[in-house]
Each structure stands twice: as C-alpha cells, then as structure tokens.
Amino acid sequence: LQLCKLSSTRDLNMSAAAALLVCLLAILTSHAESQCTHGDLRLVGGSGSYEGNVQICINGVWGWVCDNSWDSNDAQVVCRQLGFSTTNVVYRYYSYYGYGNGTIWLDHMYCDGSESKLIECSHAYGIGVTYCGYGEMAGVFCPFGGGCTADDIRLANFYTSSYGRSEGRVEVCHNNEWG
C-alpha cells in the first residue's frame, strides 16, 4: 500500500484485497504510461483495441492527434501501424470517441496512405504546434485483424478521469486474444 500512497484500507472504505487491486492497477497504468516509444500509437475511448481517438507517443509522452485534414489515408496508416487491416477503415473526427485532455502533438496530417507509421506522414506544423481543441481529436475504426503477443498487458477503454487518474479495464493476452 505504501507504493500507492494509501495510508490505510479504512481510508478507502475497502478490503485489503480491493486496495491491493487498486494499487496494482495504478502501478500497471503508471508503467504503461511511462513505457512508450517515440512514434508508438494507441487508440483511446473505443470499445476495443481496434477503435478510438488516436494518441501518439512523442519523446516518451502520450498526446493526441488533431482531426484537421484527417481522412481515410491517415486512418489507413494508423490501422496498418497497429497491425490491423487497412480495408474499409473508417476515419472519425470531432472527438468521436470522447474528449481528450493533455498534450496535442500533431495537427493537419497529410498521409498518402502508404506509410508504415503515422510519424512518417507530413504535417503542416511542428510537433506540438497545433490549432486544435479537445473537441477535435482524430479517431479511427479498424474493422479487421490485429492481435497480441502472449502475456501482453493493456488498459482497455482507457480514459483520464476528472481527478487526473488513468482508468480502464486491465486485459491480458492469452492464446493471441485479449481478455
């Protein structure tokens, strides 16, 4: 409990087992938040790993991609980078999967659709220079494919609460399926 800065389970009105689970989730979330590589992508706010608003890791920090100029070419690159099919992708705009907060890294993306990573696409402004608000996050729906590696851990339906905590459902990859 000390790692999670919880003084006692009584303060939280929960059992020791529940407090341990809260602590474990906080540690996993903290670890996942700090362990991203420049150019990594994730989808946030969707029903699964195949859909959501797009976040990109820049210098170890997750941030948003703005929907200005967002189109199917950009969505194809996102789905390809995440290991999904690029057939019948759907691009979303106006924070379709929910409003974000925090850093907005990219604005006015101009992918031609053949790139293997979103960071390879041209964009109108420098990284971190945007003319975008939290109601303008780019999103995608990748309809097929994707997978995972044994024992991978992810936070599904991720969001940041009004208290600044990262929350979601912890999932583990077993037999190439999330659960």
Side-chain angles (χ1 to χ4, degrees):
L1 292 177
Q2 290 176 340
L3 287 174
C4 294
K5 297 182 174 51
L6 302 175
S7 60
S8 74
T9 57
R10 185 181 62 241
D11 292 343
L12 296 172
N13 195 25
M14 64 177 76
S15 70
L20 180 60
L21 181 58
V22 168
C23 181
L24 177 61
L25 290 174
I27 290 169
L28 287 173
T29 302
S30 172
H31 179 73
E33 283 294 302
S34 63
Q35 298 298 313
C36 67
T37 302
H38 189 80
D40 283 355
L41 296 180
R42 67 182 180 185
L43 302 179
V44 177
S47 297
S49 63
Y50 55 89
E51 68 174 334
N53 290 334
V54 180
Q55 282 197 325
I56 187 166
C57 178
I58 302 293
N59 297 324
V61 177
W62 288 107
W64 302 99
V65 177
C66 188
D67 67 6
N68 294 325
S69 307
W70 191 249
D71 63 21
S72 61
N73 288 337
D74 306 315
Q76 285 179 356
V77 174
V78 169
C79 292
R80 178 181 298 114
Q81 181 175 344
L82 293 173
F84 295 102
S85 171
T86 59
T87 303
N88 298 320
V89 301
V90 178
Y91 66 97
R92 306 281 192 191
Y93 43 88
Y94 296 132
S95 297
Y96 183 87
Y97 295 99
Y99 287 76
N101 60 26
T103 304
I104 301 172
W105 283 127
L106 296 172
D107 193 359
H108 287 279
M109 300 302 300
Y110 298 107
C111 300
D112 66 25
S114 66
E115 298 89 349
S116 59
K117 296 185 175 194
L118 189 66
I119 197 75
E120 297 169 357
C121 299
S122 62
H123 45 92
Y125 311 113
I127 292 174
V129 179
T130 65
Y131 298 92
C132 188
Y134 295 119
E136 302 173 77
M137 302 299 99
V140 299
F141 174 84
C142 307
F144 308 107
C148 57
T149 304
D151 300 324
D152 282 351
I153 297 174
R154 73 176 181 184
L155 193 61
N157 295 332
F158 168 85
Y159 70 97
T160 302
S161 72
S162 58
Y163 300 105
R165 290 182 280 201
S166 299
E167 300 179 9
R169 181 181 65 252
V170 175
E171 293 183 341
V172 177
C173 179
H174 180 70
N175 292 330
N176 296 318
E177 291 186 20
W178 289 107

CSV table of all heavy atoms in Angstrom, one decimal, residues 94-158:
chain,number,residue,atom,x,y,z
A,94,TYR,N,-14.0,15.2,-34.7
A,94,TYR,CA,-14.8,15.9,-33.7
A,94,TYR,C,-14.8,15.0,-32.4
A,94,TYR,O,-15.9,14.9,-31.8
A,94,TYR,CB,-16.2,16.2,-34.1
A,94,TYR,CG,-16.2,17.3,-35.2
A,94,TYR,CD1,-17.1,17.1,-36.3
A,94,TYR,CD2,-15.5,18.4,-35.2
A,94,TYR,CE1,-17.1,18.0,-37.3
A,94,TYR,CE2,-15.5,19.3,-36.2
A,94,TYR,CZ,-16.4,19.1,-37.3
A,94,TYR,OH,-16.4,20.0,-38.3
A,95,SER,N,-13.7,14.4,-32.0
A,95,SER,CA,-13.6,13.6,-30.8
A,95,SER,C,-14.7,12.6,-30.7
A,95,SER,O,-15.4,12.5,-29.6
A,95,SER,CB,-13.6,14.6,-29.6
A,95,SER,OG,-12.4,15.4,-29.6
A,96,TYR,N,-14.9,11.9,-31.7
A,96,TYR,CA,-16.0,10.9,-31.8
A,96,TYR,C,-16.0,9.9,-30.6
A,96,TYR,O,-17.1,9.5,-30.2
A,96,TYR,CB,-15.8,10.1,-33.1
A,96,TYR,CG,-16.9,9.1,-33.4
A,96,TYR,CD1,-18.1,9.5,-34.0
A,96,TYR,CD2,-16.8,7.8,-33.0
A,96,TYR,CE1,-19.1,8.6,-34.3
A,96,TYR,CE2,-17.8,6.8,-33.3
A,96,TYR,CZ,-19.0,7.3,-33.9
A,96,TYR,OH,-19.9,6.3,-34.1
A,97,TYR,N,-14.8,9.6,-30.1
A,97,TYR,CA,-14.7,8.6,-29.0
A,97,TYR,C,-14.5,9.3,-27.7
A,97,TYR,O,-14.1,8.7,-26.7
A,97,TYR,CB,-13.6,7.6,-29.3
A,97,TYR,CG,-13.8,6.8,-30.5
A,97,TYR,CD1,-13.2,7.1,-31.7
A,97,TYR,CD2,-14.7,5.7,-30.4
A,97,TYR,CE1,-13.5,6.3,-32.8
A,97,TYR,CE2,-14.9,4.9,-31.5
A,97,TYR,CZ,-14.3,5.2,-32.7
A,97,TYR,OH,-14.5,4.4,-33.8
A,98,GLY,N,-14.8,10.6,-27.6
A,98,GLY,CA,-14.7,11.3,-26.3
A,98,GLY,C,-13.7,12.4,-26.4
A,98,GLY,O,-12.7,12.3,-27.2
A,99,TYR,N,-13.8,13.4,-25.5
A,99,TYR,CA,-12.9,14.5,-25.5
A,99,TYR,C,-11.6,14.1,-24.8
A,99,TYR,O,-11.7,13.3,-23.9
A,99,TYR,CB,-13.6,15.6,-24.7
A,99,TYR,CG,-14.7,16.3,-25.5
A,99,TYR,CD1,-15.9,15.8,-25.7
A,99,TYR,CD2,-14.4,17.5,-26.1
A,99,TYR,CE1,-16.9,16.4,-26.5
A,99,TYR,CE2,-15.4,18.2,-26.9
A,99,TYR,CZ,-16.6,17.6,-27.1
A,99,TYR,OH,-17.6,18.2,-27.8
A,100,GLY,N,-10.6,14.7,-25.2
A,100,GLY,CA,-9.3,14.4,-24.5
A,100,GLY,C,-8.9,15.5,-23.6
A,100,GLY,O,-9.5,16.5,-23.5
A,101,ASN,N,-7.7,15.3,-23.0
A,101,ASN,CA,-7.0,16.4,-22.2
A,101,ASN,C,-5.6,16.1,-22.3
A,101,ASN,O,-5.1,15.0,-22.7
A,101,ASN,CB,-7.6,16.5,-20.8
A,101,ASN,CG,-7.4,15.2,-20.0
A,101,ASN,OD1,-6.5,14.4,-20.3
A,101,ASN,ND2,-8.2,15.0,-19.0
A,102,GLY,N,-4.8,17.1,-22.0
A,102,GLY,CA,-3.3,16.9,-22.0
A,102,GLY,C,-2.7,17.4,-23.3
A,102,GLY,O,-3.3,18.3,-24.0
A,103,THR,N,-1.6,16.9,-23.7
A,103,THR,CA,-0.9,17.4,-24.9
A,103,THR,C,-1.5,17.0,-26.2
A,103,THR,O,-2.0,15.8,-26.4
A,103,THR,CB,0.6,16.8,-24.9
A,103,THR,OG1,1.2,17.1,-23.6
A,103,THR,CG2,1.4,17.3,-26.0
A,104,ILE,N,-1.5,17.9,-27.1
A,104,ILE,CA,-1.9,17.6,-28.5
A,104,ILE,C,-0.6,17.7,-29.3
A,104,ILE,O,0.0,18.8,-29.4
A,104,ILE,CB,-3.0,18.6,-29.0
A,104,ILE,CG1,-4.2,18.5,-28.2
A,104,ILE,CG2,-3.3,18.3,-30.5
A,104,ILE,CD1,-5.3,19.6,-28.5
A,105,TRP,N,-0.2,16.6,-29.9
A,105,TRP,CA,1.1,16.6,-30.6
A,105,TRP,C,1.1,17.0,-32.1
A,105,TRP,O,1.9,17.7,-32.6
A,105,TRP,CB,1.8,15.2,-30.5
A,105,TRP,CG,2.4,14.9,-29.2
A,105,TRP,CD1,2.1,13.8,-28.4
A,105,TRP,CD2,3.4,15.6,-28.5
A,105,TRP,NE1,2.9,13.8,-27.3
A,105,TRP,CE2,3.7,14.9,-27.3
A,105,TRP,CE3,4.1,16.8,-28.7
A,105,TRP,CZ2,4.6,15.4,-26.4
A,105,TRP,CZ3,5.0,17.3,-27.8
A,105,TRP,CH2,5.3,16.6,-26.7
A,106,LEU,N,0.0,16.5,-32.8
A,106,LEU,CA,0.1,16.6,-34.3
A,106,LEU,C,-1.2,17.2,-34.8
A,106,LEU,O,-2.3,16.9,-34.3
A,106,LEU,CB,0.3,15.3,-34.9
A,106,LEU,CG,1.6,14.6,-34.7
A,106,LEU,CD1,1.7,13.2,-35.2
A,106,LEU,CD2,2.8,15.4,-35.2
A,107,ASP,N,-1.1,18.0,-35.8
A,107,ASP,CA,-2.3,18.7,-36.4
A,107,ASP,C,-2.0,18.7,-38.0
A,107,ASP,O,-0.9,18.7,-38.4
A,107,ASP,CB,-2.4,20.1,-35.9
A,107,ASP,CG,-3.7,20.8,-36.2
A,107,ASP,OD1,-4.5,20.2,-36.9
A,107,ASP,OD2,-3.8,22.0,-35.8
A,108,HIS,N,-3.1,18.7,-38.7
A,108,HIS,CA,-3.1,18.8,-40.2
A,108,HIS,C,-2.2,17.7,-40.7
A,108,HIS,O,-1.1,18.0,-41.3
A,108,HIS,CB,-2.7,20.1,-40.7
A,108,HIS,CG,-3.7,21.2,-40.5
A,108,HIS,ND1,-4.8,21.3,-41.4
A,108,HIS,CD2,-3.9,22.1,-39.6
A,108,HIS,CE1,-5.6,22.3,-41.1
A,108,HIS,NE2,-5.1,22.8,-39.9
A,109,MET,N,-2.6,16.4,-40.6
A,109,MET,CA,-1.8,15.3,-41.1
A,109,MET,C,-2.1,15.2,-42.6
A,109,MET,O,-3.2,15.4,-43.0
A,109,MET,CB,-2.2,14.0,-40.4
A,109,MET,CG,-2.0,14.0,-38.9
A,109,MET,SD,-0.2,14.3,-38.4
A,109,MET,CE,0.6,12.9,-39.2
A,110,TYR,N,-1.0,14.8,-43.3
A,110,TYR,CA,-1.1,14.6,-44.7
A,110,TYR,C,-0.4,13.3,-45.1
A,110,TYR,O,0.6,13.3,-45.7
A,110,TYR,CB,-0.5,15.8,-45.5
A,110,TYR,CG,-1.2,17.1,-45.2
A,110,TYR,CD1,-0.6,18.0,-44.5
A,110,TYR,CD2,-2.5,17.3,-45.7
A,110,TYR,CE1,-1.2,19.2,-44.2
A,110,TYR,CE2,-3.1,18.5,-45.5
A,110,TYR,CZ,-2.5,19.5,-44.7
A,110,TYR,OH,-3.2,20.6,-44.5
A,111,CYS,N,-1.1,12.2,-44.8
A,111,CYS,CA,-0.5,10.9,-45.2
A,111,CYS,C,-1.0,10.6,-46.6
A,111,CYS,O,-2.1,11.0,-47.0
A,111,CYS,CB,-1.1,9.8,-44.3
A,111,CYS,SG,-0.6,10.0,-42.5
A,112,ASP,N,-0.2,9.8,-47.4
A,112,ASP,CA,-0.7,9.4,-48.7
A,112,ASP,C,-1.3,8.0,-48.6
A,112,ASP,O,-1.8,7.5,-49.6
A,112,ASP,CB,0.4,9.5,-49.8
A,112,ASP,CG,1.6,8.5,-49.5
A,112,ASP,OD1,1.4,7.5,-48.9
A,112,ASP,OD2,2.7,8.8,-50.0
A,113,GLY,N,-1.2,7.4,-47.4
A,113,GLY,CA,-1.8,6.1,-47.2
A,113,GLY,C,-0.8,4.9,-47.3
A,113,GLY,O,-1.2,3.8,-47.0
A,114,SER,N,0.4,5.1,-47.8
A,114,SER,CA,1.3,4.0,-48.0
A,114,SER,C,2.3,3.9,-46.8
A,114,SER,O,3.1,3.0,-46.8
A,114,SER,CB,2.1,4.2,-49.3
A,114,SER,OG,2.9,5.4,-49.3
A,115,GLU,N,2.4,4.9,-46.0
A,115,GLU,CA,3.4,5.0,-44.9
A,115,GLU,C,3.1,3.8,-43.9
A,115,GLU,O,2.0,3.4,-43.7
A,115,GLU,CB,3.3,6.3,-44.1
A,115,GLU,CG,3.6,7.5,-45.0
A,115,GLU,CD,2.4,8.1,-45.7
A,115,GLU,OE1,1.3,7.5,-45.7
A,115,GLU,OE2,2.5,9.2,-46.2
A,116,SER,N,4.2,3.4,-43.3
A,116,SER,CA,4.1,2.3,-42.3
A,116,SER,C,3.8,2.8,-40.9
A,116,SER,O,3.3,2.1,-40.1
A,116,SER,CB,5.3,1.4,-42.3
A,116,SER,OG,6.4,2.1,-42.0
A,117,LYS,N,4.1,4.1,-40.7
A,117,LYS,CA,3.9,4.7,-39.4
A,117,LYS,C,3.4,6.1,-39.5
A,117,LYS,O,3.8,6.9,-40.5
A,117,LYS,CB,5.2,4.8,-38.6
A,117,LYS,CG,5.8,3.4,-38.2
A,117,LYS,CD,7.0,3.5,-37.3
A,117,LYS,CE,7.4,2.2,-36.9
A,117,LYS,NZ,8.4,2.2,-35.8
A,118,LEU,N,2.5,6.5,-38.6
A,118,LEU,CA,1.9,7.9,-38.7
A,118,LEU,C,3.0,9.0,-38.6
A,118,LEU,O,2.9,10.0,-39.3
A,118,LEU,CB,0.9,8.0,-37.6
A,118,LEU,CG,0.0,9.3,-37.7
A,118,LEU,CD1,-0.9,9.3,-38.9
A,118,LEU,CD2,-0.8,9.5,-36.4
A,119,ILE,N,4.0,8.7,-37.8
A,119,ILE,CA,5.1,9.7,-37.6
A,119,ILE,C,5.8,10.0,-38.9
A,119,ILE,O,6.5,11.1,-39.1
A,119,ILE,CB,6.1,9.3,-36.5
A,119,ILE,CG1,6.9,10.5,-36.0
A,119,ILE,CG2,6.9,8.1,-36.9
A,119,ILE,CD1,6.2,11.4,-35.1
A,120,GLU,N,5.7,9.1,-39.9
A,120,GLU,CA,6.4,9.3,-41.2
A,120,GLU,C,5.6,10.2,-42.1
A,120,GLU,O,6.1,10.7,-43.1
A,120,GLU,CB,6.5,8.0,-41.9
A,120,GLU,CG,7.5,7.0,-41.2
A,120,GLU,CD,7.4,5.6,-41.8
A,120,GLU,OE1,6.6,5.3,-42.7
A,120,GLU,OE2,8.2,4.7,-41.3
A,121,CYS,N,4.3,10.5,-41.8
A,121,CYS,CA,3.5,11.3,-42.6
A,121,CYS,C,3.9,12.8,-42.5
A,121,CYS,O,4.3,13.2,-41.4
A,121,CYS,CB,2.0,11.2,-42.2
A,121,CYS,SG,1.4,9.5,-42.5
A,122,SER,N,3.7,13.6,-43.5
A,122,SER,CA,3.9,15.0,-43.4
A,122,SER,C,2.8,15.6,-42.6
A,122,SER,O,1.7,15.1,-42.5
A,122,SER,CB,4.1,15.7,-44.7
A,122,SER,OG,2.9,15.5,-45.5
A,123,HIS,N,3.0,16.8,-41.9
A,123,HIS,CA,2.0,17.5,-41.2
A,123,HIS,C,2.4,19.0,-41.3
A,123,HIS,O,3.5,19.4,-41.5
A,123,HIS,CB,1.9,17.0,-39.8
A,123,HIS,CG,3.2,16.9,-39.1
A,123,HIS,ND1,3.8,17.8,-38.3
A,123,HIS,CD2,4.0,15.8,-39.0
A,123,HIS,CE1,5.0,17.4,-37.9
A,123,HIS,NE2,5.1,16.2,-38.2
A,124,ALA,N,1.4,19.8,-41.2
A,124,ALA,CA,1.5,21.2,-41.5
A,124,ALA,C,2.4,22.0,-40.5
A,124,ALA,O,3.1,22.9,-40.9
A,124,ALA,CB,0.1,21.9,-41.6
A,125,TYR,N,2.4,21.6,-39.3
A,125,TYR,CA,3.1,22.4,-38.3
A,125,TYR,C,4.1,21.5,-37.6
A,125,TYR,O,4.1,20.3,-37.7
A,125,TYR,CB,2.1,22.9,-37.2
A,125,TYR,CG,0.9,23.6,-37.9
A,125,TYR,CD1,-0.3,23.1,-37.8
A,125,TYR,CD2,1.1,24.8,-38.6
A,125,TYR,CE1,-1.4,23.7,-38.4
A,125,TYR,CE2,0.0,25.5,-39.2
A,125,TYR,CZ,-1.2,24.9,-39.1
A,125,TYR,OH,-2.3,25.5,-39.7
A,126,GLY,N,5.0,22.0,-36.8
A,126,GLY,CA,5.9,21.3,-36.0
A,126,GLY,C,5.2,20.4,-34.9
A,126,GLY,O,4.0,20.7,-34.6
A,127,ILE,N,5.9,19.4,-34.4
A,127,ILE,CA,5.3,18.6,-33.4
A,127,ILE,C,5.0,19.5,-32.2
A,127,ILE,O,5.9,20.2,-31.7
A,127,ILE,CB,6.3,17.5,-33.0
A,127,ILE,CG1,6.4,16.5,-34.2
A,127,ILE,CG2,5.9,16.7,-31.8
A,127,ILE,CD1,7.4,15.4,-34.0
A,128,GLY,N,3.8,19.4,-31.7
A,128,GLY,CA,3.4,20.2,-30.5
A,128,GLY,C,2.8,21.5,-30.9
A,128,GLY,O,2.3,22.2,-30.0
A,129,VAL,N,2.9,21.9,-32.2
A,129,VAL,CA,2.3,23.2,-32.6
A,129,VAL,C,1.0,22.8,-33.3
A,129,VAL,O,1.0,22.2,-34.4
A,129,VAL,CB,3.2,23.9,-33.6
A,129,VAL,CG1,2.6,25.2,-34.1
A,129,VAL,CG2,4.6,24.2,-33.0
A,130,THR,N,-0.1,23.2,-32.7
A,130,THR,CA,-1.4,22.8,-33.2
A,130,THR,C,-2.4,24.0,-33.1
A,130,THR,O,-2.2,24.9,-32.3
A,130,THR,CB,-2.0,21.6,-32.4
A,130,THR,OG1,-2.3,22.0,-31.1
A,130,THR,CG2,-1.1,20.4,-32.5
A,131,TYR,N,-3.4,23.9,-33.9
A,131,TYR,CA,-4.5,24.9,-33.8
A,131,TYR,C,-5.8,24.1,-33.7
A,131,TYR,O,-6.6,23.9,-34.6
A,131,TYR,CB,-4.5,25.7,-35.1
A,131,TYR,CG,-3.3,26.6,-35.2
A,131,TYR,CD1,-2.2,26.1,-35.9
A,131,TYR,CD2,-3.2,27.8,-34.5
A,131,TYR,CE1,-1.0,26.8,-35.9
A,131,TYR,CE2,-2.0,28.5,-34.6
A,131,TYR,CZ,-0.9,28.0,-35.3
A,131,TYR,OH,0.3,28.7,-35.3
A,132,CYS,N,-5.9,23.5,-32.5
A,132,CYS,CA,-6.9,22.4,-32.3
A,132,CYS,C,-7.3,22.4,-30.8
A,132,CYS,O,-6.5,22.8,-29.9
A,132,CYS,CB,-6.2,21.1,-32.6
A,132,CYS,SG,-7.2,19.7,-32.6
A,133,GLY,N,-8.5,22.0,-30.6
A,133,GLY,CA,-9.0,21.9,-29.2
A,133,GLY,C,-9.4,20.5,-28.9
A,133,GLY,O,-9.3,19.6,-29.8
A,134,TYR,N,-9.8,20.2,-27.6
A,134,TYR,CA,-10.0,18.8,-27.2
A,134,TYR,C,-11.3,18.2,-27.8
A,134,TYR,O,-11.5,17.0,-27.7
A,134,TYR,CB,-10.1,18.7,-25.7
A,134,TYR,CG,-8.7,19.0,-25.1
A,134,TYR,CD1,-8.6,20.1,-24.2
A,134,TYR,CD2,-7.6,18.3,-25.4
A,134,TYR,CE1,-7.3,20.4,-23.7
A,134,TYR,CE2,-6.4,18.6,-24.9
A,134,TYR,CZ,-6.2,19.6,-24.0
A,134,TYR,OH,-5.0,19.9,-23.5
A,135,GLY,N,-12.1,19.0,-28.5
A,135,GLY,CA,-13.2,18.5,-29.2
A,135,GLY,C,-12.9,18.2,-30.6
A,135,GLY,O,-13.8,17.9,-31.4
A,136,GLU,N,-11.6,18.2,-31.0
A,136,GLU,CA,-11.2,17.9,-32.4
A,136,GLU,C,-10.2,16.8,-32.5
A,136,GLU,O,-9.3,16.9,-33.3
A,136,GLU,CB,-10.6,19.2,-33.0
A,136,GLU,CG,-11.5,20.4,-33.0
A,136,GLU,CD,-10.8,21.6,-33.5
A,136,GLU,OE1,-10.6,21.8,-34.7
A,136,GLU,OE2,-10.4,22.5,-32.6
A,137,MET,N,-10.3,15.8,-31.7
A,137,MET,CA,-9.4,14.6,-31.7
A,137,MET,C,-9.7,13.7,-32.9
A,137,MET,O,-10.9,13.4,-33.2
A,137,MET,CB,-9.5,13.8,-30.4
A,137,MET,CG,-9.1,14.6,-29.2
A,137,MET,SD,-7.5,15.4,-29.1
A,137,MET,CE,-7.8,17.0,-29.7
A,138,ALA,N,-8.7,13.3,-33.6
A,138,ALA,CA,-8.9,12.3,-34.7
A,138,ALA,C,-9.1,10.9,-34.2
A,138,ALA,O,-8.5,10.5,-33.2
A,138,ALA,CB,-7.6,12.3,-35.6
A,139,GLY,N,-9.9,10.2,-34.9
A,139,GLY,CA,-10.2,8.8,-34.5
A,139,GLY,C,-10.3,7.9,-35.6
A,139,GLY,O,-10.3,8.3,-36.8
A,140,VAL,N,-10.2,6.6,-35.4
A,140,VAL,CA,-10.3,5.5,-36.4
A,140,VAL,C,-11.1,4.3,-35.9
A,140,VAL,O,-11.2,4.1,-34.7
A,140,VAL,CB,-8.9,5.0,-36.9
A,140,VAL,CG1,-8.1,6.2,-37.5
A,140,VAL,CG2,-8.1,4.3,-35.8
A,141,PHE,N,-11.6,3.6,-36.9
A,141,PHE,CA,-12.2,2.3,-36.7
A,141,PHE,C,-11.5,1.4,-37.6
A,141,PHE,O,-11.6,1.6,-38.8
A,141,PHE,CB,-13.7,2.3,-36.9
A,141,PHE,CG,-14.3,1.0,-36.8
A,141,PHE,CD1,-14.7,0.4,-35.6
A,141,PHE,CD2,-14.6,0.2,-38.0
A,141,PHE,CE1,-15.3,-0.8,-35.5
A,141,PHE,CE2,-15.1,-1.0,-37.9
A,141,PHE,CZ,-15.5,-1.6,-36.7
A,142,CYS,N,-10.8,0.4,-37.1
A,142,CYS,CA,-10.1,-0.6,-37.9
A,142,CYS,C,-10.9,-1.9,-37.8
A,142,CYS,O,-10.9,-2.6,-36.8
A,142,CYS,CB,-8.7,-0.9,-37.4
A,142,CYS,SG,-7.7,0.6,-37.2
A,143,PRO,N,-11.6,-2.3,-38.9
A,143,PRO,CA,-12.6,-3.4,-38.8
A,143,PRO,C,-12.1,-4.8,-38.7
A,143,PRO,O,-12.8,-5.7,-38.2
A,143,PRO,CB,-13.5,-3.2,-40.0
A,143,PRO,CG,-12.6,-2.5,-41.0
A,143,PRO,CD,-11.7,-1.7,-40.2
A,144,PHE,N,-10.9,-5.1,-39.1
A,144,PHE,CA,-10.4,-6.5,-39.1
A,144,PHE,C,-9.0,-6.6,-38.6
A,144,PHE,O,-8.3,-5.6,-38.6
A,144,PHE,CB,-10.4,-7.1,-40.5
A,144,PHE,CG,-11.8,-6.9,-41.2
A,144,PHE,CD1,-11.9,-6.0,-42.2
A,144,PHE,CD2,-12.8,-7.7,-40.8
A,144,PHE,CE1,-13.1,-5.9,-42.9
A,144,PHE,CE2,-14.1,-7.5,-41.4
A,144,PHE,CZ,-14.2,-6.6,-42.5
A,145,GLY,N,-8.6,-7.8,-38.3
A,145,GLY,CA,-7.2,-8.1,-38.0
A,145,GLY,C,-6.8,-7.7,-36.6
A,145,GLY,O,-7.6,-7.5,-35.7
A,146,GLY,N,-5.5,-7.5,-36.4
A,146,GLY,CA,-4.9,-7.2,-35.1
A,146,GLY,C,-4.7,-8.4,-34.3
A,146,GLY,O,-5.2,-9.5,-34.5
A,147,GLY,N,-3.9,-8.2,-33.2
A,147,GLY,CA,-3.7,-9.3,-32.4
A,147,GLY,C,-2.8,-8.9,-31.2
A,147,GLY,O,-2.6,-7.7,-31.0
A,148,CYS,N,-2.2,-9.9,-30.5
A,148,CYS,CA,-1.4,-9.5,-29.4
A,148,CYS,C,-0.4,-10.6,-29.2
A,148,CYS,O,-0.5,-11.7,-29.8
A,148,CYS,CB,-2.2,-9.3,-28.2
A,148,CYS,SG,-3.3,-10.7,-27.7
A,149,THR,N,0.6,-10.4,-28.4
A,149,THR,CA,1.6,-11.3,-28.0
A,149,THR,C,1.4,-11.9,-26.6
A,149,THR,O,0.9,-11.1,-25.7
A,149,THR,CB,3.0,-10.7,-28.1
A,149,THR,OG1,3.2,-10.1,-29.4
A,149,THR,CG2,4.1,-11.6,-27.8
A,150,ALA,N,1.7,-13.1,-26.4
A,150,ALA,CA,1.4,-13.8,-25.1
A,150,ALA,C,1.9,-12.9,-24.0
A,150,ALA,O,3.0,-12.4,-24.0
A,150,ALA,CB,2.0,-15.2,-25.1
A,151,ASP,N,1.0,-12.8,-23.0
A,151,ASP,CA,1.3,-12.1,-21.7
A,151,ASP,C,1.4,-10.6,-21.8
A,151,ASP,O,1.8,-9.9,-20.9
A,151,ASP,CB,2.5,-12.7,-21.0
A,151,ASP,CG,2.4,-14.1,-20.7
A,151,ASP,OD1,1.3,-14.6,-20.3
A,151,ASP,OD2,3.4,-14.9,-20.8
A,152,ASP,N,1.1,-10.0,-23.0
A,152,ASP,CA,1.0,-8.6,-23.1
A,152,ASP,C,-0.1,-8.1,-22.2
A,152,ASP,O,-1.1,-8.8,-21.9
A,152,ASP,CB,0.6,-8.1,-24.5
A,152,ASP,CG,1.7,-8.1,-25.5
A,152,ASP,OD1,2.9,-8.3,-25.1
A,152,ASP,OD2,1.5,-7.9,-26.7
A,153,ILE,N,0.0,-6.9,-21.6
A,153,ILE,CA,-1.0,-6.3,-20.8
A,153,ILE,C,-1.4,-5.0,-21.4
A,153,ILE,O,-0.5,-4.2,-21.9
A,153,ILE,CB,-0.4,-6.1,-19.3
A,153,ILE,CG1,-0.1,-7.4,-18.7
A,153,ILE,CG2,-1.4,-5.3,-18.5
A,153,ILE,CD1,0.6,-7.3,-17.4
A,154,ARG,N,-2.7,-4.7,-21.3
A,154,ARG,CA,-3.1,-3.4,-21.8
A,154,ARG,C,-4.2,-2.8,-20.9
A,154,ARG,O,-4.9,-3.6,-20.2
A,154,ARG,CB,-3.6,-3.4,-23.3
A,154,ARG,CG,-4.9,-4.2,-23.4
A,154,ARG,CD,-5.4,-4.1,-24.8
A,154,ARG,NE,-6.7,-4.8,-25.0
A,154,ARG,CZ,-7.2,-5.0,-26.1
A,154,ARG,NH1,-6.7,-4.6,-27.2
A,154,ARG,NH2,-8.4,-5.6,-26.2
A,155,LEU,N,-4.5,-1.6,-21.0
A,155,LEU,CA,-5.6,-0.9,-20.4
A,155,LEU,C,-6.6,-0.6,-21.4
A,155,LEU,O,-6.4,0.3,-22.3
A,155,LEU,CB,-5.1,0.4,-19.6
A,155,LEU,CG,-6.0,1.0,-18.6
A,155,LEU,CD1,-6.3,0.0,-17.5
A,155,LEU,CD2,-5.4,2.3,-18.1
A,156,ALA,N,-7.7,-1.3,-21.5
A,156,ALA,CA,-8.7,-1.1,-22.5
A,156,ALA,C,-9.7,-0.1,-22.0
A,156,ALA,O,-9.9,0.1,-20.8
A,156,ALA,CB,-9.4,-2.4,-22.7
A,157,ASN,N,-10.4,0.6,-22.9
A,157,ASN,CA,-11.4,1.6,-22.6
A,157,ASN,C,-10.7,2.7,-21.7
A,157,ASN,O,-11.3,3.2,-20.8
A,157,ASN,CB,-12.6,1.1,-22.0
A,157,ASN,CG,-13.4,0.2,-22.9
A,157,ASN,OD1,-13.3,0.4,-24.1
A,157,ASN,ND2,-14.1,-0.8,-22.4
A,158,PHE,N,-9.5,3.0,-22.0
A,158,PHE,CA,-8.7,4.0,-21.3
A,158,PHE,C,-9.2,5.4,-21.3
A,158,PHE,O,-9.7,5.8,-22.3
A,158,PHE,CB,-7.3,4.0,-21.8
A,158,PHE,CG,-6.4,5.1,-21.3
A,158,PHE,CD1,-5.7,4.9,-20.1
A,158,PHE,CD2,-6.3,6.3,-22.0
A,158,PHE,CE1,-4.9,5.9,-19.6
A,158,PHE,CE2,-5.5,7.3,-21.5
A,158,PHE,CZ,-4.8,7.1,-20.3
